[in-house]
Amino acid sequence: MAAAIAPRPQPLEIAFTRDTLFGVSTQSVECQVQLEALNIAGKPGVQLQITPPLPERLDRAHTLVFTWRGHMCRGIVQSSRQCHDGSLQIRLELQ
């Protein structure tokens, strides 16, 4: 069951990596995000609900890194999906 960490969208700087034809590409974006704590197969996780406007290529990310309340969070994207309201939902297994 998810527990809200940030029930309302808040600005968040996210660094992410994705694969391209030329190798791994790292990018950084700032966006509005709601966060929820998750348990993914017994491991700690976070669900990010990113509100429009959506950053380009974030839906293709493999890993994400961000700082939340002074703590660095790093994880592997387990799933990413576009929602009916135009937002992007990313489930991240924390490392």
Side-chain angles (χ1 to χ4, degrees):
M1 175 163 237
I5 299 171
R8 286 178 237 179
Q10 310 225 348
L12 188 65
E13 183 79 24
I14 299 173
F16 65 96
T17 60
R18 63 186 186 84
D19 290 330
T20 70
L21 291 173
F22 305 106
V24 176
S25 173
T26 301
Q27 294 179 269
S28 183
V29 295
E30 183 172 319
C31 46
Q32 295 290 317
V33 179
Q34 288 176 269
L35 296 171
E36 290 185 25
L38 295 177
N39 181 328
I40 301 174
K43 298 179 182 176
V46 175
Q47 177 174 288
L48 292 85
Q49 192 79 25
I50 300 148
T51 59
L54 299 176
E56 287 187 45
R57 300 180 183 95
L58 184 58
D59 60 328
R60 298 182 192 136
H62 292 279
T63 61
L64 289 129
V65 178
F66 58 91
T67 301
W68 180 253
R69 296 183 180 165
H71 299 283
M72 182 174 280
C73 299
R74 177 184 316 260
I76 298 170
V77 174
Q78 296 298 308
S79 66
S80 175
R81 72 176 184 95
Q82 192 86 30
C83 300
H84 68 280
D85 63 358
S87 65
L88 177 66
Q89 184 183 82
I90 296 176
R91 289 181 172 227
L92 191 67
E93 180 184 315
L94 296 175
Q95 302 294 298

PDB file of all heavy atoms in Angstrom, residues 35-74:
ATOM      1  N   LEU A  35       4.785  12.489  -4.549  1.00  0.00           N
ATOM      2  CA  LEU A  35       5.538  11.290  -4.188  1.00  0.00           C
ATOM      3  C   LEU A  35       4.727  10.412  -3.249  1.00  0.00           C
ATOM      4  O   LEU A  35       4.016  10.913  -2.377  1.00  0.00           O
ATOM      5  CB  LEU A  35       6.846  11.663  -3.482  1.00  0.00           C
ATOM      6  CG  LEU A  35       7.871  12.430  -4.289  1.00  0.00           C
ATOM      7  CD1 LEU A  35       8.994  12.898  -3.385  1.00  0.00           C
ATOM      8  CD2 LEU A  35       8.421  11.569  -5.389  1.00  0.00           C
ATOM      9  N   GLU A  36       4.856   9.097  -3.427  1.00  0.00           N
ATOM     10  CA  GLU A  36       4.260   8.115  -2.525  1.00  0.00           C
ATOM     11  C   GLU A  36       5.279   7.026  -2.253  1.00  0.00           C
ATOM     12  O   GLU A  36       5.952   6.556  -3.170  1.00  0.00           O
ATOM     13  CB  GLU A  36       3.016   7.476  -3.145  1.00  0.00           C
ATOM     14  CG  GLU A  36       1.838   8.393  -3.261  1.00  0.00           C
ATOM     15  CD  GLU A  36       0.605   7.677  -3.768  1.00  0.00           C
ATOM     16  OE1 GLU A  36       0.507   6.442  -3.592  1.00  0.00           O
ATOM     17  OE2 GLU A  36      -0.250   8.341  -4.344  1.00  0.00           O
ATOM     18  N   ALA A  37       5.393   6.615  -0.998  1.00  0.00           N
ATOM     19  CA  ALA A  37       6.271   5.503  -0.645  1.00  0.00           C
ATOM     20  C   ALA A  37       5.594   4.203  -1.050  1.00  0.00           C
ATOM     21  O   ALA A  37       4.376   4.062  -0.935  1.00  0.00           O
ATOM     22  CB  ALA A  37       6.544   5.514   0.860  1.00  0.00           C
ATOM     23  N   LEU A  38       6.389   3.262  -1.547  1.00  0.00           N
ATOM     24  CA  LEU A  38       5.875   1.971  -1.995  1.00  0.00           C
ATOM     25  C   LEU A  38       6.723   0.837  -1.436  1.00  0.00           C
ATOM     26  O   LEU A  38       7.850   1.034  -1.023  1.00  0.00           O
ATOM     27  CB  LEU A  38       5.945   1.854  -3.521  1.00  0.00           C
ATOM     28  CG  LEU A  38       5.112   2.753  -4.388  1.00  0.00           C
ATOM     29  CD1 LEU A  38       5.430   2.485  -5.851  1.00  0.00           C
ATOM     30  CD2 LEU A  38       3.647   2.537  -4.121  1.00  0.00           C
ATOM     31  N   ASN A  39       6.156  -0.352  -1.504  1.00  0.00           N
ATOM     32  CA  ASN A  39       6.876  -1.588  -1.232  1.00  0.00           C
ATOM     33  C   ASN A  39       6.785  -2.379  -2.530  1.00  0.00           C
ATOM     34  O   ASN A  39       5.706  -2.790  -2.930  1.00  0.00           O
ATOM     35  CB  ASN A  39       6.213  -2.340  -0.076  1.00  0.00           C
ATOM     36  CG  ASN A  39       6.927  -3.622   0.257  1.00  0.00           C
ATOM     37  OD1 ASN A  39       7.506  -4.276  -0.600  1.00  0.00           O
ATOM     38  ND2 ASN A  39       6.859  -3.985   1.518  1.00  0.00           N
ATOM     39  N   ILE A  40       7.936  -2.572  -3.195  1.00  0.00           N
ATOM     40  CA  ILE A  40       7.956  -3.277  -4.479  1.00  0.00           C
ATOM     41  C   ILE A  40       8.641  -4.621  -4.257  1.00  0.00           C
ATOM     42  O   ILE A  40       9.855  -4.681  -4.130  1.00  0.00           O
ATOM     43  CB  ILE A  40       8.697  -2.461  -5.553  1.00  0.00           C
ATOM     44  CG1 ILE A  40       8.015  -1.103  -5.747  1.00  0.00           C
ATOM     45  CG2 ILE A  40       8.765  -3.228  -6.867  1.00  0.00           C
ATOM     46  CD1 ILE A  40       8.752  -0.163  -6.678  1.00  0.00           C
ATOM     47  N   ALA A  41       7.847  -5.673  -4.186  1.00  0.00           N
ATOM     48  CA  ALA A  41       8.359  -7.032  -3.967  1.00  0.00           C
ATOM     49  C   ALA A  41       9.283  -7.095  -2.752  1.00  0.00           C
ATOM     50  O   ALA A  41      10.351  -7.675  -2.797  1.00  0.00           O
ATOM     51  CB  ALA A  41       9.064  -7.539  -5.219  1.00  0.00           C
ATOM     52  N   GLY A  42       8.866  -6.452  -1.667  1.00  0.00           N
ATOM     53  CA  GLY A  42       9.627  -6.477  -0.429  1.00  0.00           C
ATOM     54  C   GLY A  42      10.760  -5.467  -0.360  1.00  0.00           C
ATOM     55  O   GLY A  42      11.502  -5.438   0.617  1.00  0.00           O
ATOM     56  N   LYS A  43      10.911  -4.639  -1.383  1.00  0.00           N
ATOM     57  CA  LYS A  43      11.980  -3.640  -1.418  1.00  0.00           C
ATOM     58  C   LYS A  43      11.370  -2.244  -1.363  1.00  0.00           C
ATOM     59  O   LYS A  43      10.263  -2.028  -1.852  1.00  0.00           O
ATOM     60  CB  LYS A  43      12.819  -3.802  -2.683  1.00  0.00           C
ATOM     61  CG  LYS A  43      13.506  -5.147  -2.759  1.00  0.00           C
ATOM     62  CD  LYS A  43      14.290  -5.281  -4.029  1.00  0.00           C
ATOM     63  CE  LYS A  43      14.928  -6.656  -4.094  1.00  0.00           C
ATOM     64  NZ  LYS A  43      15.634  -6.885  -5.334  1.00  0.00           N
ATOM     65  N   PRO A  44      12.097  -1.274  -0.779  1.00  0.00           N
ATOM     66  CA  PRO A  44      11.561   0.087  -0.715  1.00  0.00           C
ATOM     67  C   PRO A  44      11.468   0.713  -2.099  1.00  0.00           C
ATOM     68  O   PRO A  44      12.334   0.500  -2.951  1.00  0.00           O
ATOM     69  CB  PRO A  44      12.563   0.826   0.164  1.00  0.00           C
ATOM     70  CG  PRO A  44      13.831   0.059   0.051  1.00  0.00           C
ATOM     71  CD  PRO A  44      13.422  -1.371  -0.185  1.00  0.00           C
ATOM     72  N   GLY A  45      10.414   1.466  -2.291  1.00  0.00           N
ATOM     73  CA  GLY A  45      10.216   2.128  -3.570  1.00  0.00           C
ATOM     74  C   GLY A  45       9.483   3.440  -3.415  1.00  0.00           C
ATOM     75  O   GLY A  45       9.026   3.794  -2.333  1.00  0.00           O
ATOM     76  N   VAL A  46       9.375   4.151  -4.507  1.00  0.00           N
ATOM     77  CA  VAL A  46       8.688   5.438  -4.559  1.00  0.00           C
ATOM     78  C   VAL A  46       7.900   5.494  -5.854  1.00  0.00           C
ATOM     79  O   VAL A  46       8.377   5.051  -6.905  1.00  0.00           O
ATOM     80  CB  VAL A  46       9.687   6.611  -4.516  1.00  0.00           C
ATOM     81  CG1 VAL A  46       8.983   7.936  -4.698  1.00  0.00           C
ATOM     82  CG2 VAL A  46      10.473   6.627  -3.230  1.00  0.00           C
ATOM     83  N   GLN A  47       6.708   6.041  -5.776  1.00  0.00           N
ATOM     84  CA  GLN A  47       5.929   6.327  -6.983  1.00  0.00           C
ATOM     85  C   GLN A  47       5.940   7.827  -7.189  1.00  0.00           C
ATOM     86  O   GLN A  47       5.617   8.578  -6.273  1.00  0.00           O
ATOM     87  CB  GLN A  47       4.500   5.835  -6.834  1.00  0.00           C
ATOM     88  CG  GLN A  47       3.636   6.166  -8.034  1.00  0.00           C
ATOM     89  CD  GLN A  47       2.280   5.534  -7.918  1.00  0.00           C
ATOM     90  OE1 GLN A  47       2.159   4.323  -8.054  1.00  0.00           O
ATOM     91  NE2 GLN A  47       1.273   6.342  -7.652  1.00  0.00           N
ATOM     92  N   LEU A  48       6.336   8.249  -8.364  1.00  0.00           N
ATOM     93  CA  LEU A  48       6.325   9.660  -8.727  1.00  0.00           C
ATOM     94  C   LEU A  48       5.177   9.890  -9.689  1.00  0.00           C
ATOM     95  O   LEU A  48       5.039   9.180 -10.683  1.00  0.00           O
ATOM     96  CB  LEU A  48       7.633  10.058  -9.410  1.00  0.00           C
ATOM     97  CG  LEU A  48       8.892  10.052  -8.565  1.00  0.00           C
ATOM     98  CD1 LEU A  48       9.500   8.670  -8.518  1.00  0.00           C
ATOM     99  CD2 LEU A  48       9.878  11.047  -9.106  1.00  0.00           C
ATOM    100  N   GLN A  49       4.350  10.855  -9.394  1.00  0.00           N
ATOM    101  CA  GLN A  49       3.263  11.269 -10.283  1.00  0.00           C
ATOM    102  C   GLN A  49       3.645  12.655 -10.776  1.00  0.00           C
ATOM    103  O   GLN A  49       3.622  13.621 -10.012  1.00  0.00           O
ATOM    104  CB  GLN A  49       1.931  11.301  -9.517  1.00  0.00           C
ATOM    105  CG  GLN A  49       0.724  11.443 -10.384  1.00  0.00           C
ATOM    106  CD  GLN A  49       0.339  10.124 -11.033  1.00  0.00           C
ATOM    107  OE1 GLN A  49       0.643   9.057 -10.519  1.00  0.00           O
ATOM    108  NE2 GLN A  49      -0.335  10.196 -12.148  1.00  0.00           N
ATOM    109  N   ILE A  50       4.071  12.751 -12.030  1.00  0.00           N
ATOM    110  CA  ILE A  50       4.591  13.981 -12.593  1.00  0.00           C
ATOM    111  C   ILE A  50       3.473  14.659 -13.373  1.00  0.00           C
ATOM    112  O   ILE A  50       2.894  14.067 -14.281  1.00  0.00           O
ATOM    113  CB  ILE A  50       5.810  13.691 -13.481  1.00  0.00           C
ATOM    114  CG1 ILE A  50       6.882  13.018 -12.626  1.00  0.00           C
ATOM    115  CG2 ILE A  50       6.330  14.954 -14.123  1.00  0.00           C
ATOM    116  CD1 ILE A  50       7.729  12.044 -13.329  1.00  0.00           C
ATOM    117  N   THR A  51       3.186  15.908 -13.001  1.00  0.00           N
ATOM    118  CA  THR A  51       2.082  16.630 -13.616  1.00  0.00           C
ATOM    119  C   THR A  51       2.566  17.383 -14.863  1.00  0.00           C
ATOM    120  O   THR A  51       3.728  17.762 -14.952  1.00  0.00           O
ATOM    121  CB  THR A  51       1.448  17.623 -12.628  1.00  0.00           C
ATOM    122  OG1 THR A  51       2.434  18.550 -12.193  1.00  0.00           O
ATOM    123  CG2 THR A  51       0.883  16.906 -11.421  1.00  0.00           C
ATOM    124  N   PRO A  52       1.664  17.567 -15.837  1.00  0.00           N
ATOM    125  CA  PRO A  52       2.026  18.314 -17.044  1.00  0.00           C
ATOM    126  C   PRO A  52       2.406  19.755 -16.696  1.00  0.00           C
ATOM    127  O   PRO A  52       1.914  20.272 -15.701  1.00  0.00           O
ATOM    128  CB  PRO A  52       0.752  18.274 -17.885  1.00  0.00           C
ATOM    129  CG  PRO A  52      -0.026  17.120 -17.361  1.00  0.00           C
ATOM    130  CD  PRO A  52       0.310  17.034 -15.900  1.00  0.00           C
ATOM    131  N   PRO A  53       3.266  20.371 -17.499  1.00  0.00           N
ATOM    132  CA  PRO A  53       3.867  19.837 -18.712  1.00  0.00           C
ATOM    133  C   PRO A  53       4.961  18.816 -18.381  1.00  0.00           C
ATOM    134  O   PRO A  53       5.736  19.008 -17.451  1.00  0.00           O
ATOM    135  CB  PRO A  53       4.453  21.075 -19.392  1.00  0.00           C
ATOM    136  CG  PRO A  53       4.741  22.023 -18.282  1.00  0.00           C
ATOM    137  CD  PRO A  53       3.681  21.762 -17.236  1.00  0.00           C
ATOM    138  N   LEU A  54       4.988  17.738 -19.143  1.00  0.00           N
ATOM    139  CA  LEU A  54       5.940  16.661 -18.896  1.00  0.00           C
ATOM    140  C   LEU A  54       7.279  16.945 -19.572  1.00  0.00           C
ATOM    141  O   LEU A  54       7.317  17.393 -20.708  1.00  0.00           O
ATOM    142  CB  LEU A  54       5.389  15.339 -19.420  1.00  0.00           C
ATOM    143  CG  LEU A  54       4.086  14.861 -18.794  1.00  0.00           C
ATOM    144  CD1 LEU A  54       3.622  13.585 -19.481  1.00  0.00           C
ATOM    145  CD2 LEU A  54       4.251  14.639 -17.309  1.00  0.00           C
ATOM    146  N   PRO A  55       8.372  16.655 -18.862  1.00  0.00           N
ATOM    147  CA  PRO A  55       9.695  16.794 -19.476  1.00  0.00           C
ATOM    148  C   PRO A  55       9.866  15.789 -20.613  1.00  0.00           C
ATOM    149  O   PRO A  55       9.381  14.655 -20.524  1.00  0.00           O
ATOM    150  CB  PRO A  55      10.659  16.462 -18.339  1.00  0.00           C
ATOM    151  CG  PRO A  55       9.858  16.561 -17.083  1.00  0.00           C
ATOM    152  CD  PRO A  55       8.447  16.252 -17.469  1.00  0.00           C
ATOM    153  N   GLU A  56      10.560  16.196 -21.655  1.00  0.00           N
ATOM    154  CA  GLU A  56      10.810  15.301 -22.787  1.00  0.00           C
ATOM    155  C   GLU A  56      11.663  14.119 -22.366  1.00  0.00           C
ATOM    156  O   GLU A  56      12.596  14.268 -21.582  1.00  0.00           O
ATOM    157  CB  GLU A  56      11.530  16.055 -23.908  1.00  0.00           C
ATOM    158  CG  GLU A  56      10.650  17.015 -24.658  1.00  0.00           C
ATOM    159  CD  GLU A  56      11.377  17.601 -25.843  1.00  0.00           C
ATOM    160  OE1 GLU A  56      12.036  16.846 -26.582  1.00  0.00           O
ATOM    161  OE2 GLU A  56      11.275  18.828 -26.007  1.00  0.00           O
ATOM    162  N   ARG A  57      11.322  12.971 -22.852  1.00  0.00           N
ATOM    163  CA  ARG A  57      12.083  11.729 -22.720  1.00  0.00           C
ATOM    164  C   ARG A  57      12.127  11.142 -21.307  1.00  0.00           C
ATOM    165  O   ARG A  57      12.744  10.113 -21.096  1.00  0.00           O
ATOM    166  CB  ARG A  57      13.496  11.909 -23.260  1.00  0.00           C
ATOM    167  CG  ARG A  57      13.520  12.299 -24.719  1.00  0.00           C
ATOM    168  CD  ARG A  57      14.946  12.466 -25.215  1.00  0.00           C
ATOM    169  NE  ARG A  57      14.969  12.908 -26.585  1.00  0.00           N
ATOM    170  CZ  ARG A  57      15.070  14.183 -26.953  1.00  0.00           C
ATOM    171  NH1 ARG A  57      15.165  15.119 -26.052  1.00  0.00           N
ATOM    172  NH2 ARG A  57      15.078  14.496 -28.227  1.00  0.00           N
ATOM    173  N   LEU A  58      11.499  11.768 -20.334  1.00  0.00           N
ATOM    174  CA  LEU A  58      11.497  11.217 -18.981  1.00  0.00           C
ATOM    175  C   LEU A  58      10.787   9.861 -18.936  1.00  0.00           C
ATOM    176  O   LEU A  58      11.135   8.984 -18.157  1.00  0.00           O
ATOM    177  CB  LEU A  58      10.853  12.189 -17.994  1.00  0.00           C
ATOM    178  CG  LEU A  58      10.863  11.791 -16.529  1.00  0.00           C
ATOM    179  CD1 LEU A  58      12.289  11.553 -16.033  1.00  0.00           C
ATOM    180  CD2 LEU A  58      10.183  12.847 -15.681  1.00  0.00           C
ATOM    181  N   ASP A  59       9.815   9.666 -19.833  1.00  0.00           N
ATOM    182  CA  ASP A  59       9.084   8.401 -19.883  1.00  0.00           C
ATOM    183  C   ASP A  59       9.965   7.239 -20.347  1.00  0.00           C
ATOM    184  O   ASP A  59       9.589   6.079 -20.207  1.00  0.00           O
ATOM    185  CB  ASP A  59       7.856   8.518 -20.779  1.00  0.00           C
ATOM    186  CG  ASP A  59       8.196   8.895 -22.208  1.00  0.00           C
ATOM    187  OD1 ASP A  59       9.190   9.627 -22.414  1.00  0.00           O
ATOM    188  OD2 ASP A  59       7.476   8.461 -23.107  1.00  0.00           O
ATOM    189  N   ARG A  60      11.158   7.527 -20.865  1.00  0.00           N
ATOM    190  CA  ARG A  60      12.088   6.489 -21.325  1.00  0.00           C
ATOM    191  C   ARG A  60      13.260   6.274 -20.368  1.00  0.00           C
ATOM    192  O   ARG A  60      14.234   5.603 -20.708  1.00  0.00           O
ATOM    193  CB  ARG A  60      12.628   6.859 -22.702  1.00  0.00           C
ATOM    194  CG  ARG A  60      11.529   6.947 -23.744  1.00  0.00           C
ATOM    195  CD  ARG A  60      12.111   7.265 -25.098  1.00  0.00           C
ATOM    196  NE  ARG A  60      11.020   7.612 -26.004  1.00  0.00           N
ATOM    197  CZ  ARG A  60      11.056   8.620 -26.840  1.00  0.00           C
ATOM    198  NH1 ARG A  60      12.113   9.388 -26.906  1.00  0.00           N
ATOM    199  NH2 ARG A  60      10.034   8.865 -27.620  1.00  0.00           N
ATOM    200  N   ALA A  61      13.172   6.865 -19.188  1.00  0.00           N
ATOM    201  CA  ALA A  61      14.272   6.792 -18.224  1.00  0.00           C
ATOM    202  C   ALA A  61      14.445   5.377 -17.676  1.00  0.00           C
ATOM    203  O   ALA A  61      13.486   4.621 -17.548  1.00  0.00           O
ATOM    204  CB  ALA A  61      14.004   7.750 -17.067  1.00  0.00           C
ATOM    205  N   HIS A  62      15.694   5.042 -17.363  1.00  0.00           N
ATOM    206  CA  HIS A  62      16.018   3.752 -16.740  1.00  0.00           C
ATOM    207  C   HIS A  62      16.339   3.915 -15.263  1.00  0.00           C
ATOM    208  O   HIS A  62      16.021   3.049 -14.457  1.00  0.00           O
ATOM    209  CB  HIS A  62      17.209   3.095 -17.440  1.00  0.00           C
ATOM    210  CG  HIS A  62      16.899   2.662 -18.822  1.00  0.00           C
ATOM    211  ND1 HIS A  62      16.240   1.496 -19.097  1.00  0.00           N
ATOM    212  CD2 HIS A  62      17.128   3.256 -20.017  1.00  0.00           C
ATOM    213  CE1 HIS A  62      16.080   1.382 -20.400  1.00  0.00           C
ATOM    214  NE2 HIS A  62      16.602   2.443 -20.984  1.00  0.00           N
ATOM    215  N   THR A  63      17.000   5.014 -14.916  1.00  0.00           N
ATOM    216  CA  THR A  63      17.312   5.316 -13.520  1.00  0.00           C
ATOM    217  C   THR A  63      16.992   6.777 -13.247  1.00  0.00           C
ATOM    218  O   THR A  63      17.041   7.613 -14.163  1.00  0.00           O
ATOM    219  CB  THR A  63      18.798   5.057 -13.185  1.00  0.00           C
ATOM    220  OG1 THR A  63      19.610   5.890 -14.003  1.00  0.00           O
ATOM    221  CG2 THR A  63      19.179   3.610 -13.385  1.00  0.00           C
ATOM    222  N   LEU A  64      16.671   7.062 -11.988  1.00  0.00           N
ATOM    223  CA  LEU A  64      16.394   8.433 -11.564  1.00  0.00           C
ATOM    224  C   LEU A  64      17.159   8.722 -10.284  1.00  0.00           C
ATOM    225  O   LEU A  64      17.349   7.831  -9.451  1.00  0.00           O
ATOM    226  CB  LEU A  64      14.905   8.633 -11.266  1.00  0.00           C
ATOM    227  CG  LEU A  64      13.987   8.640 -12.458  1.00  0.00           C
ATOM    228  CD1 LEU A  64      12.849   7.685 -12.230  1.00  0.00           C
ATOM    229  CD2 LEU A  64      13.455  10.015 -12.657  1.00  0.00           C
ATOM    230  N   VAL A  65      17.554   9.986 -10.131  1.00  0.00           N
ATOM    231  CA  VAL A  65      18.200  10.459  -8.917  1.00  0.00           C
ATOM    232  C   VAL A  65      17.587  11.808  -8.580  1.00  0.00           C
ATOM    233  O   VAL A  65      17.444  12.671  -9.450  1.00  0.00           O
ATOM    234  CB  VAL A  65      19.728  10.624  -9.105  1.00  0.00           C
ATOM    235  CG1 VAL A  65      20.378  11.167  -7.841  1.00  0.00           C
ATOM    236  CG2 VAL A  65      20.373   9.313  -9.520  1.00  0.00           C
ATOM    237  N   PHE A  66      17.217  11.997  -7.310  1.00  0.00           N
ATOM    238  CA  PHE A  66      16.698  13.277  -6.866  1.00  0.00           C
ATOM    239  C   PHE A  66      16.949  13.422  -5.367  1.00  0.00           C
ATOM    240  O   PHE A  66      17.214  12.442  -4.672  1.00  0.00           O
ATOM    241  CB  PHE A  66      15.204  13.434  -7.187  1.00  0.00           C
ATOM    242  CG  PHE A  66      14.328  12.375  -6.592  1.00  0.00           C
ATOM    243  CD1 PHE A  66      13.745  12.545  -5.342  1.00  0.00           C
ATOM    244  CD2 PHE A  66      14.073  11.199  -7.282  1.00  0.00           C
ATOM    245  CE1 PHE A  66      12.927  11.563  -4.801  1.00  0.00           C
ATOM    246  CE2 PHE A  66      13.256  10.218  -6.755  1.00  0.00           C
ATOM    247  CZ  PHE A  66      12.682  10.403  -5.509  1.00  0.00           C
ATOM    248  N   THR A  67      16.890  14.640  -4.888  1.00  0.00           N
ATOM    249  CA  THR A  67      17.049  14.901  -3.459  1.00  0.00           C
ATOM    250  C   THR A  67      15.702  15.314  -2.895  1.00  0.00           C
ATOM    251  O   THR A  67      15.048  16.215  -3.433  1.00  0.00           O
ATOM    252  CB  THR A  67      18.092  16.012  -3.224  1.00  0.00           C
ATOM    253  OG1 THR A  67      19.330  15.583  -3.793  1.00  0.00           O
ATOM    254  CG2 THR A  67      18.279  16.280  -1.742  1.00  0.00           C
ATOM    255  N   TRP A  68      15.284  14.622  -1.848  1.00  0.00           N
ATOM    256  CA  TRP A  68      14.008  14.921  -1.208  1.00  0.00           C
ATOM    257  C   TRP A  68      14.252  15.149   0.277  1.00  0.00           C
ATOM    258  O   TRP A  68      14.761  14.279   0.966  1.00  0.00           O
ATOM    259  CB  TRP A  68      13.025  13.767  -1.416  1.00  0.00           C
ATOM    260  CG  TRP A  68      11.710  14.029  -0.777  1.00  0.00           C
ATOM    261  CD1 TRP A  68      11.202  13.458   0.346  1.00  0.00           C
ATOM    262  CD2 TRP A  68      10.742  14.989  -1.197  1.00  0.00           C
ATOM    263  NE1 TRP A  68       9.985  13.977   0.637  1.00  0.00           N
ATOM    264  CE2 TRP A  68       9.672  14.927  -0.284  1.00  0.00           C
ATOM    265  CE3 TRP A  68      10.678  15.890  -2.249  1.00  0.00           C
ATOM    266  CZ2 TRP A  68       8.551  15.748  -0.408  1.00  0.00           C
ATOM    267  CZ3 TRP A  68       9.558  16.694  -2.374  1.00  0.00           C
ATOM    268  CH2 TRP A  68       8.510  16.607  -1.462  1.00  0.00           C
ATOM    269  N   ARG A  69      13.942  16.370   0.725  1.00  0.00           N
ATOM    270  CA  ARG A  69      14.107  16.745   2.134  1.00  0.00           C
ATOM    271  C   ARG A  69      15.507  16.426   2.651  1.00  0.00           C
ATOM    272  O   ARG A  69      15.685  15.869   3.731  1.00  0.00           O
ATOM    273  CB  ARG A  69      13.043  16.079   2.990  1.00  0.00           C
ATOM    274  CG  ARG A  69      11.650  16.553   2.646  1.00  0.00           C
ATOM    275  CD  ARG A  69      10.629  15.941   3.542  1.00  0.00           C
ATOM    276  NE  ARG A  69       9.308  16.436   3.173  1.00  0.00           N
ATOM    277  CZ  ARG A  69       8.191  15.899   3.564  1.00  0.00           C
ATOM    278  NH1 ARG A  69       8.199  14.841   4.350  1.00  0.00           N
ATOM    279  NH2 ARG A  69       7.041  16.400   3.182  1.00  0.00           N
ATOM    280  N   GLY A  70      16.512  16.746   1.834  1.00  0.00           N
ATOM    281  CA  GLY A  70      17.896  16.574   2.228  1.00  0.00           C
ATOM    282  C   GLY A  70      18.464  15.182   2.038  1.00  0.00           C
ATOM    283  O   GLY A  70      19.632  14.943   2.326  1.00  0.00           O
ATOM    284  N   HIS A  71      17.670  14.237   1.553  1.00  0.00           N
ATOM    285  CA  HIS A  71      18.129  12.868   1.337  1.00  0.00           C
ATOM    286  C   HIS A  71      18.197  12.572  -0.163  1.00  0.00           C
ATOM    287  O   HIS A  71      17.234  12.817  -0.881  1.00  0.00           O
ATOM    288  CB  HIS A  71      17.184  11.854   1.992  1.00  0.00           C
ATOM    289  CG  HIS A  71      17.085  12.011   3.467  1.00  0.00           C
ATOM    290  ND1 HIS A  71      18.062  11.567   4.322  1.00  0.00           N
ATOM    291  CD2 HIS A  71      16.126  12.589   4.236  1.00  0.00           C
ATOM    292  CE1 HIS A  71      17.707  11.852   5.571  1.00  0.00           C
ATOM    293  NE2 HIS A  71      16.542  12.477   5.537  1.00  0.00           N
ATOM    294  N   MET A  72      19.340  12.031  -0.591  1.00  0.00           N
ATOM    295  CA  MET A  72      19.460  11.652  -1.997  1.00  0.00           C
ATOM    296  C   MET A  72      18.736  10.328  -2.225  1.00  0.00           C
ATOM    297  O   MET A  72      18.952   9.364  -1.498  1.00  0.00           O
ATOM    298  CB  MET A  72      20.912  11.505  -2.423  1.00  0.00           C
ATOM    299  CG  MET A  72      21.035  11.147  -3.900  1.00  0.00           C
ATOM    300  SD  MET A  72      22.718  11.127  -4.478  1.00  0.00           S
ATOM    301  CE  MET A  72      22.967  12.865  -4.699  1.00  0.00           C
ATOM    302  N   CYS A  73      17.879  10.308  -3.211  1.00  0.00           N
ATOM    303  CA  CYS A  73      17.141   9.105  -3.582  1.00  0.00           C
ATOM    304  C   CYS A  73      17.600   8.683  -4.974  1.00  0.00           C
ATOM    305  O   CYS A  73      17.659   9.499  -5.884  1.00  0.00           O
ATOM    306  CB  CYS A  73      15.641   9.379  -3.605  1.00  0.00           C
ATOM    307  SG  CYS A  73      14.968   9.905  -2.028  1.00  0.00           S
ATOM    308  N   ARG A  74      17.926   7.405  -5.107  1.00  0.00           N
ATOM    309  CA  ARG A  74      18.406   6.858  -6.376  1.00  0.00           C
ATOM    310  C   ARG A  74      17.684   5.544  -6.592  1.00  0.00           C
ATOM    311  O   ARG A  74      17.525   4.759  -5.657  1.00  0.00           O
ATOM    312  CB  ARG A  74      19.902   6.620  -6.286  1.00  0.00           C
ATOM    313  CG  ARG A  74      20.535   5.988  -7.478  1.00  0.00           C
ATOM    314  CD  ARG A  74      22.016   5.716  -7.241  1.00  0.00           C
ATOM    315  NE  ARG A  74      22.695   6.818  -6.610  1.00  0.00           N
ATOM    316  CZ  ARG A  74      23.451   7.725  -7.248  1.00  0.00           C
ATOM    317  NH1 ARG A  74      23.611   7.618  -8.540  1.00  0.00           N
ATOM    318  NH2 ARG A  74      24.026   8.703  -6.600  1.00  0.00           N
TER     319      ARG A  74
END
